[in-house]
Amino acid sequence: MSRVDEAAAGALVRRYRAARRDPGLAVLEGFHALKHALRFGAKVQEAATSDPEGVERLAGELAPDVATGLAAVAAPVAPELLAELVPYAPRTGVVAIARRPEVDIEAALADPRPQPLVLLEDPRTMGNMGACVRVAAAAGAAGVLTTGEADPWHPDALRGAAGLHYALPVARIDALPESDRPLVAIDPEGEGLRPGELPPRAVLAFGTERHGLSEELLERADARLGIPMREGVSSLNLATSVAAVLFSRLL
Ligand SMILES: C[S@@+](CC[C@H](N)C(=O)[O-])C[C@H]1O[C@@H](n2cnc3c(N)ncnc32)[C@H](O)[C@@H]1O
């Protein structure tokens, strides 16, 4: 490698590492994350691939709508360099840096459509958070808000969501603002949820993986609903319960 190439490779690695800590940027790992991000309007700053032909083939097969955009952004790099850009190089051999969109939380809360808004109270597991965003996007939810320290736009959460953060408003908030939406606590101890029972425009609040919903949120809620389970099972996984509740409106 020439000195110029070495310097360019070093700068590329520094940009990807800095992007992981930048609250204005999103690091997208893998073809599906980049595909969804482009499809839902992400402004991709740069992308790198160790397998240009493979990416082109996947784009042709699975995402002809964004194939031109993908081909235009992805610069070829050696597999060893790709492995330095992210902690776990994706099997599809493509990574990217995109701008995070501005999320208007007030507008998401005021959205007049009947779709529910998902609130995750203090979620801890990035993969879980990503899976919640993915299912919320698939079910057409009005957005996903999270409280607590964890960043819902962390690259691991983006990977778990396959980049679907760009399909709906996703943001961390300090606390749930007052709004005209009914607040429904989703809790294993709640009254058994039946299909079609959710009120329109509900904020559906889900608790933290270990301890569930806080007393404060349970007290504030207008209703408390549970997903029926077989005796002896104490709870479902967080993302599984988000999926069950969101799809109870649709199936
Ligand atoms: C892993 S669970 C938390 C378990 C916690 N020990 C509890 O009892 O709530 C994470 C979240 O998923 C949701 N959840 C899991 N199973 C549920 C069920 N059967 N009914 C309603 N919500 C459920 C709740 O929002 C819960 O706070």
Side-chain angles (χ1 to χ4, degrees), residues 185-190 205-213 225-229 234-239 241-242 245:
I186 306 296
D187 181 76
E189 312 262 290
F206 296 84
T208 194
E209 288 90 337
R210 186 84 182 269
H211 301 295
L213 284 165
L225 295 175
I227 305 160
M229 295 181 296
S234 49
S235 69
L236 297 168
N237 157 274
L238 171 60
S241 59
V242 172
V245 174

Side-chain angles (χ1 to χ4, degrees), residues 63 77 103 112 153 171 182 219 234:
V77 296
V103 176
W153 282 82
E219 273 167 28
S234 49

Side-chain angles (χ1 to χ4, degrees), residues 127-142:
N128 242 343
M129 246 193 303
C132 292
V133 170
R134 187 172 187 167
V135 74

Side-chain angles (χ1 to χ4, degrees), residues 21-48:
R21 298 186 299 275
D22 188 328
L25 296 178
V27 176
L28 299 162
E29 301 173 354
F31 174 82
H32 297 286
L34 180 55
K35 170 195 76 179
H36 280 137
L38 284 169
R39 183 171 289 157
F40 290 103
K43 304 263 182 298
V44 174
Q45 285 190 344
E46 60 179 311

